[in-house]
Amino acid sequence: MEKRVVLYDHGNLHVDAVERSDGAIVIEGQDLSGDGEYEYFLTVSGDQIPSLVVALGGKPGQDVLALLEQHGERIVRHGERRWLVDHHVMADLWTWGSPPL
């Protein structure tokens, strides 16, 4: 069963983090501020989760979703992909629609 937390929900932007059954974390964003809809999915594979926990200031074994929820607004305001890159956490990106200008 997937677990989900809200990272950010203000105005036209909603961002969740989902823990999949395979151990991966997916950051799912939906932005409705442009002329249409823009969705993006950043997938952090299970082998990158320890690095993500450390980047969030956690200790090995801590609940990564709880840490993401705690730091969600800061991460989203920085830009989720940029934040991950800045902290040397690898993630695959998939997008749909046109990003707002």
Side-chain angles (χ1 to χ4, degrees):
M1 182 174 179
E2 293 182 341
K3 294 190 290 184
R4 175 182 302 267
V5 296
V6 175
L7 301 186
Y8 190 87
D9 188 19
H10 297 285
N12 295 317
L13 179 60
H14 182 84
V15 182
D16 287 342
V18 178
E19 184 176 27
R20 296 190 324 205
S21 60
D22 65 0
I25 296 290
V26 181
I27 297 172
E28 303 177 349
Q30 181 183 41
D31 190 336
L32 301 173
S33 62
D35 290 338
E37 180 177 358
Y38 177 63
E39 294 184 29
Y40 56 93
F41 302 85
L42 287 156
T43 303
V44 179
S45 64
D47 65 332
Q48 288 289 300
I49 300 306
S51 297
L52 179 57
V53 168
V54 168
L56 291 163
K59 295 183 181 359
Q62 267 191 278
D63 182 349
V64 67
L65 280 184
L67 290 167
L68 282 166
E69 186 175 36
Q70 178 183 354
H71 299 283
E73 185 164 343
R74 179 174 53 89
I75 292 168
V76 172
R77 289 191 182 275
H78 186 85
E80 301 92 286
R81 186 172 186 205
R82 184 178 312 134
W83 187 91
L84 291 167
V85 168
D86 288 351
H87 290 86
H88 310 287
V89 177
M90 303 294 292
D92 293 324
L93 173 66
W94 183 87
T95 64
W96 180 85
S98 298
L101 299 175

